[in-house]
Amino acid sequence: MAQAFDTIARAAYVFGQATGTVLLAKEEDVPLPPASMSKLMTLYMAFEAINPLNGQDPIVTVDDILPVSQHCMNYTGSTMFLDTSDRVPVEDLLRGVIVLSGNDASCVLAEALSLSGTEAGFAQQMTTRAQQLGMHNSTFANSNGWPAVGHRMSMRDLGILANRMITDYPTFYPLFSEAEFDY
């Protein structure tokens, strides 16, 4: 017989992806500041833009080269140290987000995929798409989890998103095992 387990964490959600079994749920629907876990939603939307599941044409390719705005360059914390003179391939930006947790890389992707061309507009798109994916306790104010009023995700929503990333975009999954990326 399996033994129950708990955690001192304020909230947790452990989901067996292979079986669909919830192994631990604690305050799983409480919206909390997600910090860099927000970047997973940015990545999901980038994967979706590169390889749409609905049969539409891609919005971007991994080979597309994107400019860096002053807004994105101004991010601090974990970055790729991008400058406004840089032009960066989408594939490098994906690695910059995944391996380096690049706030600037996340912002560049957001501005490129935003219908308004702004990170704030992309954050609204992220919130809408999250709702469509069944993530009902998530609202986004930016692409990378930089502290902002109202920027929240629940642990269950993170579980839903992680599961969707693995099942919807398995070809991108190996990127998450990369330990180093030099740009």
Side-chain angles (χ1 to χ4, degrees):
M1 175 182 256
Q3 298 217 351
F5 63 98
D6 198 2
T7 176
I8 61 170
R10 179 176 168 192
Y13 187 75
V14 180
F15 176 81
Q17 203 269 334
T19 63
T21 304
V22 175
L23 303 171
L24 173 67
K26 178 179 178 182
E27 301 291 334
E28 68 274 15
D29 292 317
V30 175
L32 299 168
S36 285
M37 297 303 285
S38 306
K39 293 177 180 120
L40 293 175
M41 189 66 194
T42 298
L43 288 166
Y44 184 87
M45 292 183 66
F47 297 163
E48 197 167 52
I50 294 164
N51 187 18
L53 296 176
N54 58 10
Q56 293 181 340
D57 291 332
I59 296 168
V60 295
T61 71
V62 293
D63 298 320
D64 285 349
I65 308 295
L66 302 180
V68 178
S69 71
Q70 184 70 45
H71 171 71
C72 295
M73 187 187 93
N74 287 344
Y75 271 110
T76 58
S78 299
T79 70
M80 285 179 65
F81 301 100
L82 298 175
D83 184 89
T84 56
S85 64
D86 291 328
R87 302 295 176 262
V88 189
V90 168
E91 185 170 10
D92 286 352
L93 292 166
L94 294 175
R95 284 187 163 86
V97 174
I98 294 168
V99 181
L100 304 176
S101 192
N103 292 324
D104 50 359
S106 188
C107 178
V108 172
L109 287 169
E111 288 181 347
L113 299 176
S114 172
L115 298 175
S116 68
T118 67
E119 184 184 24
F122 185 72
Q124 291 173 347
Q125 290 170 231
M126 290 170 69
T127 301
T128 299
R129 187 66 180 117
Q131 292 291 315
Q132 293 167 349
L133 294 172
M135 298 165 54
H136 300 296
N137 296 300
S138 293
T139 55
F140 299 94
N142 56 59
S143 64
N144 52 36
W146 200 255
V149 173
H151 191 97
R152 301 282 186 265
M153 293 181 83
S154 72
M155 296 306 104
R156 182 189 310 271
D157 286 359
L158 280 167
I160 290 168
L161 180 57
N163 186 53
R164 289 296 299 259
M165 290 181 83
I166 293 166
T167 57
D168 293 350
Y169 297 103
T171 57
F172 290 105
Y173 195 57
L175 291 174
F176 291 92
S177 68
E178 293 183 12
E180 292 182 25
F181 174 65
D182 293 324
Y183 177 76

